[in-house]
Amino acid sequence: MSLRRVRYYGDPVLKSRAKEITEFDASLADLAADMRETMKAYNGVGLAANQIGVLQRILVVDVPQQDAPRATYTLVNPVIVFREGQEKGEEGCLSIPGVWDDVVRAKRIHVRAVDETGKPVEVEAEGYLARAIQHEVDHLDGVLFVDRLSLLKRQFLRRDLEAIARGELPEDQQPPKEASGG
Ligand code: ZN
């Protein structure tokens, strides 16, 4: 396993659509393990492959839940087959450090995917887990949470976003030291 370097706002890979995965081999298992390790090292609750520069449809989530163990999933080729309700909630993104804002998402979703071995996975999610999965599936389609904000809010965030694109990260948002290329 190795830590991968997280790509930041301004990197074209974050605006690209990831491709369906067709090979369930050892390199996919390695990618999934690296993504889980990287998510943990960056203290994230989710990570999509685009964020480490890999245009393949795989995401990982690890979300704390009330009165239940953390919800941990590795989802390959995920499809949201059902959405219900709407809910506004705050989101951030490992690729846009220091920026947080409210985003409207479906309240409940049903996701159909497979895991890194090709085994089917069905997830019924609501609340924070549903939000995290929708955020990560957006990444696979080349969409960032700031793309879902109003024009006014995006204008308000423009300076921060441009600074990140220039590689100027906020002091308290530096990547983990051991993170290297990927
Ligand atoms: Zn994100």
Side-chain angles (χ1 to χ4, degrees):
M1 281 199 302
S2 54
L3 274 192
R4 307 283 191 108
R5 183 171 57 84
V6 167
R7 305 300 181 90
Y8 294 114
Y9 183 90
D11 190 316
V13 79
L14 296 173
K15 292 298 230 174
S16 308
R17 189 177 188 278
K19 292 193 177 64
E20 298 293 317
I21 290 173
T22 54
E23 303 278 328
F24 294 85
D25 52 11
S27 80
L28 181 63
D30 285 346
L31 173 63
D34 286 357
M35 287 175 64
R36 289 188 289 261
E37 191 189 2
T38 303
M39 170 175 60
K40 204 167 253 183
Y42 280 78
N43 295 314
V45 293
L47 188 73
N50 306 48
Q51 292 181 276
I52 54 164
V54 176
L55 286 175
Q56 296 193 51
R57 299 188 79 77
I58 174 171
L59 65 85
V60 293
V61 288
D62 179 25
V63 174
Q65 301 196 102
Q66 266 183 344
D67 310 318
R70 294 179 75 90
T72 306
Y73 293 99
T74 298
L75 302 177
V76 173
N77 301 334
V79 178
I80 298 173
V81 293
F82 172 81
R83 301 169 195 261
E84 190 179 62
Q86 282 203 332
E87 198 165 51
K88 195 188 258 190
E90 193 175 57
E91 292 185 23
C93 180
L94 294 182
S95 296
I96 317 176
V99 174
W100 297 82
D101 219 320
D102 284 341
V103 183
V104 176
R105 300 279 188 189
K107 206 169 185 172
R108 275 175 295 279
I109 58 170
H110 185 141
V111 185
R112 208 159 276 162
V114 293
D115 68 10
E116 69 268 42
T117 66
K119 198 178 89 189
V121 186
E122 302 264 339
V123 188
E124 299 270 5
E126 59 181 323
Y128 194 31
L129 176 61
R131 175 169 300 278
I133 292 173
Q134 289 172 84
H135 176 117
E136 301 309 332
V137 170
D138 264 2
H139 272 302
L140 300 180
D141 292 329
V143 176
L144 299 171
F145 85 89
V146 291
D147 298 331
R148 294 195 174 277
L149 301 177
S150 67
L151 186 60
L152 193 69
K153 279 195 168 178
R154 269 182 287 151
Q155 277 170 350
F156 180 74
L157 292 171
R158 196 169 58 106
R159 276 168 196 273
D160 288 347
L161 294 174
E162 285 174 356
I164 295 168
R166 286 194 304 268
E168 297 162 17
L169 302 187
E171 258 320 293
D172 57 343
Q173 301 286 341
Q174 298 297 318
K177 285 212 168 54
E178 53 293 22
S180 59

